[in-house]
């Protein structure tokens, strides 16, 4: 009888670790192929040959790639977003796709506050100036008394709220979440134009969909305060990067802290490079030791459950 084979591409999971041991004790054969940087479709097709289930990070599992993986029955993302997977194509092919909602919410929330503080106090620019032999002494801004605008109200956004409130910030949110989920009286829900106009800091936490792709573009930046800072820990394509660069250079907004960009790693020729006020980080919001350990464990559990027809977090 052919063993059920599991491909693991998430780069922090290793042979012999807790996840590997759990999967093997569940009777599965594991194949580790950590993938970092740009993922070539042919590399993915080759990796999925003879594979029944996959525990993956952010690989572009397109309709073409999935169609060329005839044994594949289960895909589990070791994270929240699953826009890298063609979910509709997977459904047509009988492939179950799961994510891990809320698995790294606390990590993302703490990181968001870190980006807010770094941007408000220009910490990166100060450290860079010192490294270059200067001694920058520009005024920063305090978070207390300012307004934080959240775009999206998922687990990470909700985890930001008490942290922001502890810093003395007011919180507004623009979202289509049903009224029954708006249980926090400290959050005021407003439409997006109003949020952009009143927020001192705008933090993106929504999923990437066709509706949200390019959501923050030229018209959005024109509505924002000239002192406003944009933070994005969600997905790069939600922000129109060319429009962002133009807005920062024109002084329409003060700057941006981007943990995610449209093309990762950031290309050497990206217009985001070299713009004072724009700082790009390396998609690390959810990457803490605690979040990774939890994602690995829960991802392995979800994979085994999905193979048995009892997925807990299916998205298709």
């Amino acid at each position: 009888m052919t063993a059920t084979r599991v491909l693991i591409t998430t780069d922090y999971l290793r042979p012999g670790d807790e996840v590997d041991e759990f999967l093997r004790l569940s009777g599965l054969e594991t194949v580790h192929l950590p993938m970092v940087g740009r993922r070539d479709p042919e590399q993915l097709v080759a990796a999925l040959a003879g594979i029944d289930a996959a525990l993956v990070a952010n690989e572009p599992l397109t309709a073409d790639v999935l169609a060329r993986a005839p044994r594949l029955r289960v895909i589990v993302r070791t994270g929240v977003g699953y826009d890298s997977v063609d979910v509709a194509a997977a459904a047509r092919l009988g492939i179950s796709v799961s994510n891990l909602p809320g698995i790294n919410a606390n990590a993302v929330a703490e990181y968001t506050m870190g980006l807010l503080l770094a941007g408000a106090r220009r910490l990166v620019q100060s450290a860079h100036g010192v490294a270059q032999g200067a001694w920058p002494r520009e005024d920063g801004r305090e978070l207390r008394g300012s307004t934080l605008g959240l775009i999206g109200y998922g687990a990470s956004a909700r985890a930001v709220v008490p942290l922001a409130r502890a810093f003395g910030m007011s919180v507004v949110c623009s979202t289509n979440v049903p009224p029954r989920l708006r249980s926090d009286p400290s959050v005021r829900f407003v439409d997006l134009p109003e949020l952009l106009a009143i927020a001192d800091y705008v933090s993106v936490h929504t999923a990437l969909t066709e509706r949200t792709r390019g959501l923050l573009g030229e018209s959005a930046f024109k509505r924002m305060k000239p002192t406003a800072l944009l933070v994005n820990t969600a997905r790069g394509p939600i922000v129109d990067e060319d429009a962002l660069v133009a807005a920062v250079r024109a002084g329409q907004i003060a700057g941006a802290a981007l943990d995610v960009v449209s093309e990762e790693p950031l290309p050497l020729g990206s217009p985001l490079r070299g713009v004072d006020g724009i700082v790009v980080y390396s998609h690390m919001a959810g990457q803490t030791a605690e979040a990774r350990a939890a994602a690995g464990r829960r991802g392995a559990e979800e994979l085994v459950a999905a193979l048995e027809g009892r997925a807990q977090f299916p998205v298709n």
Side-chain angles (χ1 to χ4, degrees):
M1 182 176 178
T2 304
T4 300
R5 304 182 75 222
V6 177
L7 174 68
I8 302 172
T9 67
T10 301
D11 59 1
Y12 56 82
L13 299 177
R14 295 286 186 268
D17 65 10
E18 178 186 7
V19 169
D20 188 51
E21 182 178 1
F22 173 83
L23 293 172
R24 289 183 176 276
L25 288 174
S26 299
L28 306 175
E29 178 184 332
T30 57
V31 179
H32 285 76
L33 186 62
M35 293 190 182
V36 295
R38 295 178 178 86
R39 286 81 167 184
D40 179 79
E42 294 304 316
Q43 180 188 16
L44 285 170
V45 170
L48 289 167
I51 293 297
D52 300 281
L55 195 59
V56 302
N58 205 33
E59 288 75 41
L61 296 173
T62 63
D64 178 65
V65 169
L66 295 175
R68 297 163 68 187
R71 278 180 53 175
L72 190 63
R73 291 187 285 136
V74 169
I75 297 169
V76 176
R77 271 279 291 113
T78 50
V80 179
Y82 52 89
D83 49 278
S84 60
V85 182
D86 190 325
V87 174
R92 290 194 299 270
L93 294 165
I95 302 170
S96 168
V97 180
S98 294
N99 71 336
L100 305 176
I103 194 67
N104 56 11
N106 186 69
V108 173
E110 290 186 1
Y111 190 88
T112 297
M113 295 307 300
L115 296 189
L116 291 174
L117 286 165
R121 302 300 296 270
R122 292 181 60 85
L123 300 183
V124 172
Q125 293 87 342
S126 175
H128 180 73
V130 172
Q132 298 299 311
W135 195 248
R137 299 279 294 165
E138 295 180 46
D139 286 344
R141 301 182 69 88
E142 296 182 15
L143 299 184
R144 181 169 299 278
S146 64
T147 297
L148 172 63
L150 301 174
I151 299 179
Y153 198 55
S156 64
R158 293 194 299 272
V160 167
V161 174
L163 303 183
R165 295 288 296 167
F167 274 89
M169 305 179 82
S170 300
V171 181
V172 296
C173 180
S174 175
T175 179
N176 57 2
V177 29
R180 61 184 174 81
L181 297 180
R182 303 180 184 185
S183 58
D184 190 335
S186 69
V187 179
R188 186 164 67 91
F189 291 87
V190 300
D191 61 25
L192 181 59
E194 182 179 353
L195 181 149
L196 294 173
I198 66 176
D200 299 291
Y201 303 90
V202 175
S203 187
V204 184
H205 297 272
T206 191
L208 175 63
T209 65
E210 287 310 305
R211 183 183 65 83
T212 62
R213 187 178 296 274
L215 177 68
L216 297 177
E218 181 180 359
S219 62
F221 297 132
K222 286 181 178 178
R223 293 180 182 273
M224 293 171 65
K225 295 180 179 182
T227 54
L229 177 77
L230 173 68
V231 172
N232 188 7
T233 58
R235 285 292 184 266
I238 295 171
V239 176
D240 181 329
E241 293 172 355
D242 290 331
L244 172 63
V245 168
V248 173
R249 284 181 168 158
Q252 288 178 334
I253 67 171
L258 307 175
D259 188 51
V260 288
V261 289
S262 293
E263 185 177 350
E264 299 178 3
L266 186 69
L268 290 176
S270 170
L272 294 170
R273 292 185 181 274
V275 181
D276 184 36
I278 297 180
V279 180
V280 179
Y281 300 84
S282 54
H283 201 154
M284 293 291 288
Q287 303 303 306
T288 63
E290 295 85 353
R292 284 179 165 183
R297 288 193 302 270
R298 193 181 300 177
E301 292 166 358
E302 176 70 3
L303 185 142
V304 171
L307 282 170
E308 296 174 351
R310 50 182 184 87
Q312 300 298 300
F313 308 106
V315 298
N316 65 344

